[in-house]
Amino acid sequence: VIYISSPHGLTEISISLSKALQSLDGKKRFMFFDSISTLAVYNSPSTVTKFAHFLVGRARAMKIKGILVSLEKETGESLIRQMSQFVDKIIFVDGN
């Protein structure tokens, strides 16, 4: 678990995540990022998209599997559509 001082600090998050991902050892490495939608409340959609793209690219380069969690209503269709271009799969979970 990594705690960040502010959801505005995407640079701080990027640096902390890079360090955390580098510290993972072993063959089975996994990242769970919760939540992209919170970042979208505090940052512009284009900034969040760039951050998510960086995060996915970094994880792929390091051969780390992961999940990015986002609430559809809070994230917005446009941001989800943009992020869908660089993730492997989108899973929609219905409360029913």
Side-chain angles (χ1 to χ4, degrees):
V1 176
I2 298 172
Y3 296 99
I4 303 301
S5 62
S6 167
H8 290 287
L10 297 183
T11 301
E12 179 185 359
I13 296 171
S14 298
I15 292 168
S16 295
L17 280 172
S18 291
K19 289 178 182 178
L21 294 175
Q22 289 171 349
S23 71
L24 296 175
D25 58 353
K27 290 185 179 183
K28 294 187 178 184
R29 303 182 301 170
F30 189 82
M31 170 190 63
F32 184 89
F33 189 90
D34 185 20
S35 125
I36 294 293
S37 51
T38 300
L39 298 179
V41 171
Y42 295 96
N43 299 280
S44 71
S46 64
T47 300
V48 174
T49 300
K50 289 175 188 175
F51 173 77
H53 190 256
F54 160 79
L55 186 59
V56 170
R58 187 83 169 132
R60 279 197 176 134
M62 299 178 79
K63 296 182 172 46
I64 296 172
K65 296 184 188 260
I67 293 176
L68 304 178
V69 176
S70 184
L71 300 175
E72 184 177 13
K73 289 181 181 177
E74 292 180 22
T75 306
E77 187 177 321
S78 175
L79 183 56
I80 291 173
R81 194 171 41 252
Q82 290 173 348
M83 288 192 314
S84 70
Q85 297 177 25
F86 49 85
V87 297
D88 294 328
K89 189 173 190 175
I90 295 179
I91 300 171
F92 291 95
V93 179
D94 188 340
N96 297 323

